[in-house]
Amino acid sequence: MEQFFHTFFSWTDFKESLPSVLRGFATNLSLMFVAEACVLVWGLVLALLRGARSRAMAPVRWLAIGYIDLFRAIPGLVLIYMIGFGLPIAQVPVFGDFSQYQLAVLALTILYGAYVAEVYRAGIESIHWSQTAAARSLGLSQGKTMRFVVLPQAVRRVVPPLLNDFIGLQKDTALIGVIGVLDGFRRAQIYAGSEFNLTPFTSLALCFVVLTFPMTRLTDRLLKRDQQRMAARG
C-alpha cells in the first residue's frame, strides 16, 4: 500500500510537477474554448444542411448525413492522429501548413461537429410544426422562419445536452498529446517518464475534475429546470 501511495500520491512529486502540469492544462483549456466555438457554428451548419427538405438540396442533405454517420463512428484518438500527422505528411493545401495546435482544433471540430449537429437537429425537430405554419402564414420566408422562430426556441431547448457534449470535448482535449502538443497529459507523461512516478497524472486528473464537476452540476440544474417548465406547461 505504501508503494501505491508513493506512485500516485507522492507529495514531493506533486509539488515538483504541478507547475508544468498547470501550464499544460492551460493549453487544454484554450483548446477547449476555441474548439467549442468552432463546434457550435459547424454543428449548426450541418444540422441545417441535414434538415433541408427541397429536392435541390437533396445531394447536400445526403452528404451531411454521411458526414455525421462517418465521424460519429470514428474514435477521437484515431481521428486526431490521422489529422495531426496525416495532413502535414500528405501536404494538403492550407491544412498542411497548420500548427499542431490548429490541427488539434480542426480534429475536435470535425469530430464533435457531428455529435452537436444531431443535438441541434433534435432541438429543431422538437419545435411543433404549427410554429412554422404560423410564421409562414404571416409572410415569413423559410429562411426567416428558421432564423427568427425555430432556431431561438430550439437552441434554448438543447443547452443541457450541448453542455454534456462539451464536457466530453473538455476531457478529449487530453488526447492531443499524441500529436506532440504540450498539453497537461504530455507534460505529465514527460515528468513520469523521467522520475518513474505517476503523481503528475493524479494532478492532471484533479484539474479535470475541478473543471468538470461545476459543468456537470450546471447541466443537471438546467435539465431539472427544463423538466419543471415542461411540466408546468402540460
Side-chain angles (χ1 to χ4, degrees), residues 7-23:
T7 301
F8 291 100
F9 302 100
S10 168
W11 178 245
T12 301
D13 290 297
F14 178 82
K15 290 189 296 182
E16 291 181 358
S17 65
L18 185 60
S20 177
V21 170
L22 288 177
R23 285 197 299 272

Side-chain angles (χ1 to χ4, degrees), residues 14-224:
F14 178 82
K15 290 189 296 182
E16 291 181 358
S17 65
L18 185 60
S20 177
V21 170
L22 288 177
R23 285 197 299 272
F25 188 65
T27 301
N28 291 98
L29 286 178
S30 169
L31 181 65
M32 179 186 73
F33 290 123
V34 174
E36 281 182 4
C38 296
V39 166
L40 282 172
V41 176
W42 180 230
L44 180 58
V45 170
L46 286 173
L48 293 176
L49 293 177
R50 195 191 192 290
R53 293 292 177 233
S54 66
R55 288 187 177 181
M57 293 293 290
V60 177
R61 181 172 68 252
W62 285 109
L63 281 174
I65 293 172
Y67 174 99
I68 291 169
D69 290 345
L70 174 65
F71 287 106
R72 289 175 72 196
I74 298 177
L77 182 62
V78 174
L79 184 64
I80 291 172
Y81 198 91
M82 290 176 66
I83 291 179
F85 290 117
L87 294 186
I89 292 174
Q91 297 181 347
V92 178
V94 181
F95 298 118
D97 297 326
F98 275 24
S99 67
Q100 294 302 103
Y101 180 91
Q102 291 171 321
L103 289 171
V105 172
L106 176 63
L108 290 173
T109 301
I110 290 174
L111 178 66
Y112 274 87
Y115 290 99
V116 169
E118 288 297 274
V119 174
Y120 276 131
R121 182 174 71 91
I124 291 172
E125 292 182 354
S126 71
I127 305 303
H128 199 271
W129 63 268
S130 62
Q131 300 277 334
T132 301
R136 296 304 301 274
S137 68
L138 291 174
L140 272 67
S141 65
Q142 184 65 37
K144 289 185 176 181
T145 298
M146 180 62 69
R147 178 182 175 185
F148 295 112
V149 178
V150 177
L151 278 182
Q153 298 180 74
V155 170
R156 202 157 46 237
R157 291 186 180 184
V158 300
V159 168
L162 280 178
L163 286 176
N164 273 327
D165 279 336
F166 288 149
I167 289 172
L169 170 61
Q170 169 245 311
K171 291 185 293 184
D172 279 354
T173 59
L175 300 175
I176 65 173
V178 300
I179 61 174
V181 179
L182 280 176
D183 68 325
F185 177 82
R186 187 62 177 151
R187 289 180 181 272
Q189 191 178 40
I190 291 171
Y191 184 93
S194 62
E195 301 297 330
F196 302 100
N197 188 278
L198 300 183
T199 301
F201 290 104
T202 303
S203 306
L204 180 62
L206 287 174
C207 291
F208 278 105
V209 167
V210 169
L211 180 64
T212 301
F213 270 18
M215 293 179 66
T216 304
R217 297 286 74 79
L218 176 60
T219 301
D220 292 342
R221 183 176 180 181
L222 291 174
L223 280 170
K224 184 177 180 180

